[in-house]
């Protein structure tokens, strides 16, 4: 019942921070019809990473605008992508003994720069294999709020790539999936008959040290911003247009911190970019996509992409203690694949316990029983769910029907009328996403 924050989206005249155009939010307090609108950084939810803030109706002086522009310029990376590509070319010419990587600056060093980094920790003898696996060389970013990088476990990454190949795709637009990109790139350079290509879009500029401008674009997926400007946007467009736009799939694994509507709006722009290709008779098709995200965001994702379905496959991560494979008694990963590819085509590994449900026409996890009453395999989390006749749906095994609340809940829940009112305006009868007090941009 307290007020909150809601995202209004990308406004045409939005001011910019170092991460591109800021997003418009509204601060609300309960009962108030209209909250005050403000701009904040699209990429960083932790204000310590980017403290950009401006009320929508605030007058910004010329001096402050000039200072801001200078600040934005100064907060760009020390080298451009082009410079990093040149540096890489020089780096690979060095003998092994002169190939150093500064761990503090997360940067490949050329001999002339050693002096400047002399009191930093560095790695020596950087091999070609290491250069081909930057996601192993770079520290995963660990800022919980802004950019926590959770890298695919090898098992999951292989599964995704095999699935993509099995479905006949030839190009992968890797949006925030550096490890998948890396697996594709390294196979492409090692195996002559490997035909898949990948373009990485990611906000982590460290990757520009390892990939050319045709392989990596510095990109912000919360505001569809290409840091490299029109040229980088054109690289992406060209990539999508190859082969008449055929056999391309987008795979994305965004940070889980919410802002689903911002992500959805960017992904729709990437889909629209693909749609502009001159493909005959494919006009009503959508660009195929895998959106990797936790299962509890299902309704939010389907709100924006009604054609998507959630797959039962549990995506595992290397550096996330909680999100690992369930089979050995560890906790099960809540992360799933949402896709507009026909579910029956997404073949899940039988050796990991997945089975095909002929009625649902999709692969489901071993614990997911087909419910006769719902007529579907209803489990979301991999455990067997049970049907509640009063709720007229299947619920988690740990839930019981509460006559007070008139719904199923944990046995020891506190019976409180859950506040069914809108998050934005506090009125009942609608949810935040359809709140009439928000003009959707
Ligand atoms: N599982 C993936 C990594 C997912 S972690 C893999 O192994 O390949 C989320 C990724 O999204 C990271 O690579 C991170 O750098 C990127 N990211 C985070 N915020 C972003 C933003 N605003 N725009 C684009 N990419 C972003
Ligand atoms: Zn079923
Ligand atoms: Zn049921
Ligand atoms: Zn119930
Ligand atoms: Zn409302």
């Amino acid at each position: 019942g307290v007020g909150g924050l809601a995202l209004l989206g990308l406004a045409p005249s939005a001011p910019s921070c170092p991460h591109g155009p800021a997003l418009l939010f509204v601060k609300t307090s309960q009962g108030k019809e209209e909250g005050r609108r403000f701009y904040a950084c699209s990429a960083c939810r932790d204000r310590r990473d980017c403290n950009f803030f401006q009320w929508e109706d605030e007058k910004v002086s010329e001096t402050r605008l000039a200072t801001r522009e200078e600040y934005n310029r100064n907060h760009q990376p020390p080298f451009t992508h082009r410079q990093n590509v040149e540096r890489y070319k020089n780096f690979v010419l060095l003998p092994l003994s002169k190939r150093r990587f500064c761990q503090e600056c997360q940067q490949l060093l050329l001999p002339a720069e050693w002096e400047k980094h002399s009191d930093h920790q560095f790695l020596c003898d950087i091999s070609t294999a290491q250069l081909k696996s930057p996601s192993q060389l770079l520290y995963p970013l660990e800022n919980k709020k802004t950019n926590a990088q959770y890298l695919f476990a090898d098992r999951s990454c292989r599964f995704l790539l095999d699935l993509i190949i099995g479905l006949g795709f030839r190009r992968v637009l890797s949006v925030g999936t550096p490890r998948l990109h890396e697996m594709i790139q390294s196979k492409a350079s090692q195996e002559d008959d490997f035909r898949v290509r990948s373009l990485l879009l990611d906000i982590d500029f460290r990757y520009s040290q390892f990939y050319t401008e045709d392989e990596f674009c510095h990109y912000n997926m919360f505001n569809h911003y290409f840091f490299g400007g029109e040229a980088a946007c054109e690289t992406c467009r060209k990539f999508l247009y190859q082969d008449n736009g055929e056999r391309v799939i987008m795979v994305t694994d965004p940070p889980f911190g919410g802002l689903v509507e911002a992500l959805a709006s960017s992904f729709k722009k990437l889909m629209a970019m693909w749609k502009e290709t001159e493909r005959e008779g494919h006009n009503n098709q959508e660009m195929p996509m895998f959106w990797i995200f936790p299962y509890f965001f299902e309704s939010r994702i389907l709100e924006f992409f009604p054609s998507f379905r959630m797959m039962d496959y549990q995506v595992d991560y290397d550096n996330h203690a909680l999100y690992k494979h369930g089979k050995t008694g560890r906790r099960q990963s809540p992360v799933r694949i949402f896709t507009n590819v026909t579910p029956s085509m997404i073949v899940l590994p039988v050796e990991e316990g997945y089975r095909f449900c002929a009625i649902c026409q999709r692969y489901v996890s071993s614990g997911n029983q087909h419910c006769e009453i719902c007529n579907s395999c209803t489990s979301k989390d991999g455990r067997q769910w049970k049907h509640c006749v009063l709720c007229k749906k299947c619920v988690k095994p740990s839930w019981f029907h509460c006559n007070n609340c008139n719904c199923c809940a944990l046995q020891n829940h506190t019976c409180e009328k859950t506040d069914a009112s809108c998050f934005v305006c506090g009125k009942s009868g609608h949810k935040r996403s359809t709140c009439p007090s928000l003009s959707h941009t």
Side-chain angles (χ1 to χ4, degrees), residues 55 60 71 74 126 178 188 197 209 215 229 256 268 288 299 303 305 323 338 341 395 422 429:
W55 293 111
V60 183
Y71 178 88
N74 292 340
I126 303 299
R197 295 293 174 267
Q209 300 179 84
E215 298 165 330
F256 305 149
K268 280 179 195 277
S299 60
E303 217 177 282
F305 293 105
Y323 295 0
F338 294 85
V341 174
V395 297
C422 168

Side-chain angles (χ1 to χ4, degrees), residues 39-191:
Y39 292 104
C41 175
S42 58
C44 309
R45 296 194 310 135
D46 189 335
R47 293 294 156 238
R48 277 168 299 189
D49 296 315
C50 179
N51 61 7
F52 184 88
F53 181 93
Q54 185 192 310
W55 293 111
E56 188 192 28
D57 53 13
E58 194 176 334
K59 279 268 163 287
V60 183
S61 71
E62 289 296 323
T63 6
R64 218 178 114 204
L65 276 181
T67 318
R68 186 184 282 169
E69 258 167 45
E70 186 180 326
Y71 178 88
N72 289 351
R73 265 197 308 278
N74 292 340
H75 280 76
Q76 294 311 320
F79 295 108
T80 63
H81 194 170
R82 176 67 51 80
Q83 286 170 324
N84 274 339
V85 172
E86 282 307 310
R87 293 166 56 79
Y88 183 88
K89 282 187 196 153
N90 293 327
F91 190 88
V92 293
L93 293 177
L94 297 169
L96 211 53
S97 62
K98 291 194 169 169
R99 291 190 190 175
R100 289 188 182 175
F101 175 76
C102 178
Q103 289 183 299
E104 269 171 72
C105 306
Q106 293 283 291
Q107 193 188 315
L108 298 172
L109 298 180
L110 297 172
E113 297 159 345
W114 290 359
E115 184 70 45
K116 255 199 314 200
H117 299 258
S118 58
D119 47 2
H120 293 174
Q121 295 258 12
F122 56 83
L123 295 174
C124 302
D125 300 342
I126 303 299
S127 67
T128 307
Q130 282 174 298
L131 292 174
K132 287 207 161 96
S133 322
S135 79
Q136 314 265 2
L137 192 60
L138 301 167
Y139 286 130
L141 299 177
E142 272 178 346
N143 184 318
K144 283 269 166 334
K145 273 186 159 173
T146 292
N147 188 2
Q149 283 179 322
Y150 295 126
L151 300 169
F152 292 133
D154 201 48
R155 193 180 65 85
S156 284
C157 204
R158 268 175 216 281
F159 163 76
L160 284 171
L161 183 52
D162 289 345
L163 182 60
I164 289 165
I165 295 170
L167 289 166
F169 292 109
R170 286 291 176 84
R171 273 165 300 130
V172 181
L173 185 65
S174 298
V175 183
T177 55
R179 195 156 263 186
L180 178 64
H181 176 72
E182 171 177 312
M183 190 176 267
I184 295 172
Q185 291 291 112
S186 86
K187 275 186 186 283
S189 73
Q190 279 158 21
E191 301 167 19

Side-chain angles (χ1 to χ4, degrees), residues 259-275:
L259 293 188
V260 173
E261 50 268 80
L263 292 169
S265 131
S266 298
F267 299 162
K268 280 179 195 277
K269 286 174 185 159
L270 289 169
M271 281 177 152
M273 202 185 251
W274 172 81
K275 238 185 159 171

Side-chain angles (χ1 to χ4, degrees), residues 226-288:
F226 287 88
F227 292 80
E230 190 45 44
C233 185
E234 195 52 36
T235 299
C236 178
R237 189 173 287 126
K238 279 215 182 98
F239 183 79
L240 296 177
Y241 282 13
Q242 278 171 44
D243 201 9
N244 277 331
E246 305 278 358
R247 299 200 275 185
V248 61
I249 183 168
M250 172 177 152
V251 180
T252 184
D253 187 11
F256 305 149
L259 293 188
V260 173
E261 50 268 80
L263 292 169
S265 131
S266 298
F267 299 162
K268 280 179 195 277
K269 286 174 185 159
L270 289 169
M271 281 177 152
M273 202 185 251
W274 172 81
K275 238 185 159 171
E276 289 159 19
T277 46
E278 300 281 317
R279 288 157 307 115
E280 283 177 31
H282 292 230
N283 293 332
N284 290 320
Q285 251 175 278
E286 267 177 356
M287 171 164 69

